């Protein structure tokens, strides 16, 4: 939550005008404000960046970096969601956001597309021979493919730590995004009120109740 003030200021400054570019408004768990905070508050990190000794990346970046013997610093395009750094109109970073958060492009991994890149593992480190890595997909985008959300118009929903709704829009970005009804509750207290509005969980487990609660209450409220 230490980026809360920065996030609030960012959202007030842009008022959702960048949604169709970035795919999201700012949150305290967004990558950009977190990296900015670390650079501003950690002298060792600042020095490391200045000396060219620090790189940043996501979990796929770290895994490929290790497997390749530190030869490849890349990330799958799907992992840019929610970072405030990715540009939906191209497979690259948004220059305006790099400037906004003062993040040097050189510390970020190259953005690649699954099936359109190939990186060999280091035979001296793993497996004894080179093995090509040609795929990197993360989080909800990866799960959408796994759940066969592969044609425009197909939508999937996942329940666990949160409720994640993903729509395959094809090659055309919808004009009515973001939804005017919103996808997030204003306060955590609202979740308790919605949960209490359900009579019972149908005899299921706690997780079943969560699913029923989210399905019957939150989505009805949103729609």
């Amino acid at each position: 939550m230490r980026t809360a003030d920065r996030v609030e200021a960012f959202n007030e400054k842009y008022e959702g005008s960048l949604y169709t570019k970035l795919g999201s408004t700012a949150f305290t768990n967004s990558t950009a404000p977190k990296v900015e905070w670390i650079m501003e508050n950690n002298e060792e990190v600042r020095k490391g960046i200045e000396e060219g000794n620090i790189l940043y990346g996501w979990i796929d970046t770290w895994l490929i970096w290790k497997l390749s013997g530190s030869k490849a610093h890349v990330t799958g395009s799907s992992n840019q969601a929610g970072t405030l750094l990715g540009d939906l109109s191209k497979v690259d970073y948004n220059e305006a956001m790099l400037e906004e958060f003062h993040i040097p492009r050189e510390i970020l991994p190259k953005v690649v597309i699954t099936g359109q890149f190939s990186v060999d593992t280091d035979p001296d480190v793993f497996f004894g021979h080179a093995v090509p890595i040609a795929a990197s997909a993360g989080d909800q985008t990866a799960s959408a493919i796994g759940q066969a959300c592969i044609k425009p118009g197909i939508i999937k929903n996942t329940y666990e730590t949160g409720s994640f709704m993903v729509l395959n829009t094809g090659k055309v970005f919808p004009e009515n995004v973001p939804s005017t009804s919103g996808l997030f509750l204003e306060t955590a207290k609202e979740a308790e009120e919605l949960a209490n509005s359900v009579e019972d969980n149908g005899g299921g487990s706690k997780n079943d109740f969560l699913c029923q609660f989210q399905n019957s209450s939150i989505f009805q409220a949103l729609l």
Side-chain angles (χ1 to χ4, degrees):
M1 296 302 294
R2 57 195 180 189
T3 63
D5 291 342
R6 174 66 165 115
V7 164
E8 183 178 358
F10 177 90
N11 288 332
E12 289 180 356
K13 177 179 179 180
Y14 292 103
E15 297 182 341
S17 62
L18 295 174
Y19 199 102
T20 55
K21 274 284 188 182
L22 308 177
S24 175
T25 52
F27 298 95
T28 53
N29 64 339
S30 299
T31 299
K34 288 195 293 187
V35 173
E36 180 187 53
W37 190 96
I38 293 172
M39 291 191 303
E40 290 179 349
N41 292 274
N42 190 307
E43 184 177 349
E44 187 176 358
V45 168
R46 288 199 304 272
K47 182 179 179 181
I49 292 176
E50 292 171 359
E51 296 175 349
N53 295 323
I54 285 184
L55 296 175
Y56 180 84
W58 294 265
I59 183 61
D60 67 321
T61 307
W62 185 84
L63 288 171
I64 295 174
W65 175 264
K66 288 293 186 179
L67 289 169
S68 68
S70 305
K71 293 182 177 67
H73 187 228
V74 301
T75 185
S77 56
S78 59
N79 287 310
Q80 289 189 305
T83 66
L84 293 183
L85 296 175
D87 194 321
L88 295 181
S89 66
K90 55 186 177 181
V91 185
D92 200 358
Y93 298 104
N94 186 292
E95 289 293 343
M97 290 301 100
L98 294 181
E99 294 179 10
E100 171 75 26
F101 293 98
H102 310 101
I103 298 176
R105 174 182 279 268
E106 54 267 24
I107 73 171
L108 298 174
K110 177 183 178 182
V111 184
V112 296
I113 299 176
T114 286
Q116 297 184 23
F117 80 101
S118 181
V119 172
D120 286 338
T121 60
D122 187 334
D124 295 328
V125 181
F126 297 98
F127 315 125
H129 58 273
V131 176
I133 302 171
S136 176
D139 208 26
Q140 297 307 317
T141 304
S143 72
I145 299 300
Q147 292 172 300
C149 189
I150 56 178
K151 294 181 179 180
I154 298 179
I155 192 170
K156 73 92 180 175
N157 212 67
T158 302
Y159 305 106
E160 192 49 51
T161 54
S163 176
F164 302 96
M165 185 184 297
V166 177
L167 169 68
N168 186 329
T169 65
K171 296 182 179 180
V172 180
F173 196 87
E175 294 181 359
N176 60 341
V177 175
S179 169
T180 55
S181 60
L183 292 175
F184 295 92
L185 303 176
E186 291 294 331
T187 66
K189 185 179 180 180
E190 290 182 68
E192 178 185 3
E193 294 171 351
L194 287 170
N196 288 331
S197 70
V198 181
E199 292 184 4
D200 58 62
N201 68 348
S205 66
K206 182 179 179 180
N207 285 337
D208 291 335
F209 170 73
L210 177 62
C211 292
Q212 291 183 23
F213 151 59
Q214 289 176 317
N215 190 41
S216 64
S217 300
I218 290 184
F219 289 143
Q220 286 182 16
L222 293 177
L223 297 175

